[in-house]
Amino acid sequence: DKMMTKTLRPRTNPVQNRARKQRDKILATTAELLKTVGLDDLTTILVAKKVGISVGTLYHYFPNKHAILYALSERWVEKVNSAVSELESQQLDNMALKPFVTNLVDGFSVVYGDNQSSLPLVAVMPVALELQEIYSDFLSTIHLRLSDIFLRLPLSLSQDDAVHLAKFFWQICHSVLLSIYCSDHNEQQSLADLKFLSMSLLERARVNF
């Protein structure tokens, strides 16, 4: 496990602005290539060519393709967690369910919508061997944070109910948002339906889960 983690880490953590920009360009280019060539056909040679650098220069930042994908996964996880932090910062104790659901769904939809090129990678994180650990850790964290958020709302929830609701809600939300931004689903209507479903779940929890 230690050996695998080592090979998934970037070779360097750029300090200089120019180096950081080069690293960001590698990640952005990889994300765009995921949309056109897919995960299986993605290679470091292809990434280097698109970025306009040699493979040797690419390896200065990332030892292999999997390390680039791992870094992209980390970025997506950070952005989802930032959206959750925004929810946590709000006055939830007396918040009505409708504005809460709007803030929650809109916050997550921005993350998925702004990172559409990375979604093919996000979709395979649960089954990609080199990404399973980061996805498992992320899932545990997101379930815990969402359950704590639900407990702060004016709902009739036990701790176990909140955990169940958090897991169920995330599964639905994640699946719907992937479908919206990875296909030609009607974004506006689909988000409205997701909000309606979320409201239904929370309304039931307000009475008696």
Side-chain angles (χ1 to χ4, degrees):
D1 287 347
K2 288 183 178 179
M3 182 64 70
M4 176 174 282
T5 302
K6 205 172 192 180
T7 59
L8 292 176
R9 293 297 179 185
R11 290 195 185 282
T12 59
N13 290 312
V15 177
Q16 295 183 350
N17 188 48
R18 182 173 147 189
R20 282 198 301 270
K21 286 183 177 179
Q22 186 72 284
R23 184 180 186 274
D24 289 343
K25 188 176 181 181
I26 292 170
L27 292 175
T29 300
T30 302
E32 288 301 319
L33 282 170
L34 282 171
K35 288 197 302 184
T36 55
V37 304
L39 195 61
D40 292 339
D41 293 329
L42 183 75
T43 65
T44 50
I45 294 173
L46 189 56
V47 173
K49 184 178 179 181
K50 275 286 187 180
V51 174
I53 58 177
S54 68
V55 175
T57 300
L58 176 68
Y59 286 154
H60 176 71
Y61 294 92
F62 299 98
N64 50 50
K65 177 180 86 170
H66 302 300
I68 306 176
L69 298 178
Y70 192 91
L72 278 175
S73 300
E74 284 185 318
R75 284 196 167 190
W76 181 76
V77 165
E78 287 170 7
K79 288 173 181 177
V80 174
N81 276 312
S82 292
V84 176
S85 295
E86 177 61 30
L87 278 174
E88 290 171 334
S89 70
Q90 297 172 14
Q91 299 294 324
L92 299 175
D93 302 67
N94 298 309
M95 182 176 285
L97 292 183
K98 188 171 182 179
F100 169 75
V101 166
T102 297
N103 291 342
L104 187 151
V105 173
D106 287 350
F108 283 147
S109 68
V110 167
V111 175
Y112 283 71
D114 287 351
N115 296 276
Q116 291 183 52
S117 57
S118 296
L119 294 184
L121 172 63
V122 172
V124 301
M125 281 176 70
V127 295
L129 183 61
E130 64 273 10
L131 301 177
Q132 282 179 356
E133 184 178 351
I134 185 174
Y135 185 76
S136 177
D137 290 344
F138 162 73
L139 212 54
S140 297
T141 300
I142 208 74
H143 289 164
L144 179 62
R145 295 182 75 184
L146 283 176
S147 66
D148 286 345
I149 286 173
F150 290 148
L151 285 170
R152 288 173 57 192
L153 292 169
L155 302 172
S156 301
L157 289 176
S158 67
Q159 182 75 45
D160 288 344
D161 290 339
V163 171
H164 172 80
L165 184 61
K167 290 179 178 179
F168 190 71
F169 176 83
W170 176 254
Q171 184 177 16
I172 292 173
C173 193
H174 177 63
S175 299
V176 171
L177 290 173
L178 275 180
S179 296
I180 292 173
Y181 296 110
C182 286
S183 62
D184 57 355
H185 279 64
N186 183 304
E187 179 181 357
Q188 187 174 0
Q189 184 60 52
S190 296
L191 289 177
D193 290 343
L194 179 57
K195 289 174 184 176
F196 178 80
L197 179 57
S198 301
M199 275 294 295
S200 299
L201 287 169
L202 295 180
E203 284 285 3
R204 187 179 67 170
R206 180 161 62 179
V207 180
N208 187 352
F209 192 83

